[in-house]
Amino acid sequence: MELEGRGAGGVAGGPAAGPGRSPGESALLDGWLQRGVGRGAGGGEAGACRPPVRQDPDTGPDYEALPAGATVTTHMVAGAVAGILEHCVMYPIDCVKTRMQSLQPDPAARYRNVLEALWRIIRTEGLWRPMRGLNVTATGAGPAHALYFACYEKLKKTLSDVIHPGGNSHIANGAAGCVATLLHDAAMNPAEVVKQRMQMYNSPYHRVTDCVRAVWQNEGAGAFYRSYTTQLTMNVPFQAIHFMTYEFLQEHFNPQRRYNPSSHVLSGACAGAVAAAATTPLDVCKTLLNTQESLALNSHITGHITGMASAFRTVYQVGGVTAYFRGVQARVIYQIPSTAIAWSVYEFFKYLITKRQEEWRASK
């Protein structure tokens, strides 16, 4: 509809009804002015006084506004897809990392670097050997990452509103990541135990069900959570560093927080590398607790290794200080593309799902 009377009773003069303007038009204009809708490209007061421009329905909603409208279901679906893809794509490198963290590897399983390890595994054990245990990992990664991202997004917003209303708080990002890790690891830890036992050299397990049954019968249900406290001890600082670094880099590379794949990939890769390198000693202990590596146990202690303190002592007894950094190369190489994939896929699906939801609401 046309707006008349832009003179004395028009926009510059305020919302009062003027000649040629009905009370309904004046009320509508008053609402525009109060909300500041329809800012022009130049911004400022002049832009704020213009009526809103009709949005082309083909352009879709502005991504900058999407996270606020994204539902918990959206975060869970996007997170589940991101987690499954991340773990599936990077699984061969994860297999190499597990073997390189072995404290006393078999002579046939001593590797100089990641590429040599991957090549030798495929050449001597078969093309699909690095993928053994992928099915249980994908099964655990879906729900674990769904809880992880949904919890993170909810807490990040809630804590940011308390700590830094209207802005981004690094403390809120780190705290939200720590709490989200509690849920993620609770869902993922049993799958990690089975996965790492199947990845080890000369593993007696060829099927997931065989491994689950053997662990349950020989070590009890508690074995699936034996490394949970160590995993939390590792992942809480890992995720705090990870999320704080990611959000910090996003402020520089993507300050408007629009859908920008290159910024998500770069920020995610850098955040993953920094966090992975800093927490490698804890990852080595977690691997020992999960695998209960037989050579290390036979040469130093009897029974099962339980608890982080026992794992730290065993690692030091077997290999000294340098043993805490076994597999650091593979861990960093794994985390750089892993976190890049996770964040880029998550942001893409969050954008895609929310856009479809907005289009569906607009069509009703």
Side-chain angles (χ1 to χ4, degrees), residues 8 100 116 141 205:
M100 292 184 76
E116 186 220 13
Y205 311 113

PDB file of all heavy atoms in Angstrom, residues 8 100 116 141 205:
ATOM      1  N   ALA A   8       4.785  17.404   6.587  1.00  0.00           N
ATOM      2  CA  ALA A   8       4.716  17.723   8.005  1.00  0.00           C
ATOM      3  C   ALA A   8       4.237  16.563   8.825  1.00  0.00           C
ATOM      4  O   ALA A   8       4.654  16.366   9.945  1.00  0.00           O
ATOM      5  CB  ALA A   8       3.803  18.942   8.204  1.00  0.00           C
ATOM      6  N   MET A 100      49.468 -46.214  17.217  1.00  0.00           N
ATOM      7  CA  MET A 100      50.694 -45.472  17.508  1.00  0.00           C
ATOM      8  C   MET A 100      50.784 -45.069  18.967  1.00  0.00           C
ATOM      9  O   MET A 100      51.867 -44.727  19.459  1.00  0.00           O
ATOM     10  CB  MET A 100      50.784 -44.235  16.602  1.00  0.00           C
ATOM     11  CG  MET A 100      50.993 -44.584  15.138  1.00  0.00           C
ATOM     12  SD  MET A 100      51.215 -43.150  14.063  1.00  0.00           S
ATOM     13  CE  MET A 100      52.898 -42.679  14.455  1.00  0.00           C
ATOM     14  N   GLU A 116      52.919 -44.206   6.556  1.00  0.00           N
ATOM     15  CA  GLU A 116      53.539 -45.523   6.537  1.00  0.00           C
ATOM     16  C   GLU A 116      52.677 -46.538   7.289  1.00  0.00           C
ATOM     17  O   GLU A 116      52.511 -47.674   6.842  1.00  0.00           O
ATOM     18  CB  GLU A 116      54.932 -45.449   7.177  1.00  0.00           C
ATOM     19  CG  GLU A 116      55.706 -46.757   7.061  1.00  0.00           C
ATOM     20  CD  GLU A 116      56.492 -47.112   8.316  1.00  0.00           C
ATOM     21  OE1 GLU A 116      56.267 -46.487   9.363  1.00  0.00           O
ATOM     22  OE2 GLU A 116      57.319 -48.020   8.247  1.00  0.00           O
ATOM     23  N   ALA A 141      28.276 -42.351  17.602  1.00  0.00           N
ATOM     24  CA  ALA A 141      28.524 -40.942  17.274  1.00  0.00           C
ATOM     25  C   ALA A 141      27.239 -40.168  17.010  1.00  0.00           C
ATOM     26  O   ALA A 141      27.149 -38.979  17.334  1.00  0.00           O
ATOM     27  CB  ALA A 141      29.444 -40.850  16.055  1.00  0.00           C
ATOM     28  N   TYR A 205      39.123 -59.768  17.904  1.00  0.00           N
ATOM     29  CA  TYR A 205      37.715 -59.504  17.611  1.00  0.00           C
ATOM     30  C   TYR A 205      37.531 -59.091  16.152  1.00  0.00           C
ATOM     31  O   TYR A 205      38.170 -58.148  15.677  1.00  0.00           O
ATOM     32  CB  TYR A 205      37.181 -58.393  18.513  1.00  0.00           C
ATOM     33  CG  TYR A 205      37.498 -58.593  19.979  1.00  0.00           C
ATOM     34  CD1 TYR A 205      38.372 -57.735  20.647  1.00  0.00           C
ATOM     35  CD2 TYR A 205      36.950 -59.663  20.696  1.00  0.00           C
ATOM     36  CE1 TYR A 205      38.678 -57.917  21.982  1.00  0.00           C
ATOM     37  CE2 TYR A 205      37.254 -59.856  22.041  1.00  0.00           C
ATOM     38  CZ  TYR A 205      38.119 -58.981  22.672  1.00  0.00           C
ATOM     39  OH  TYR A 205      38.427 -59.177  23.991  1.00  0.00           O
TER      40      TYR A 205
END
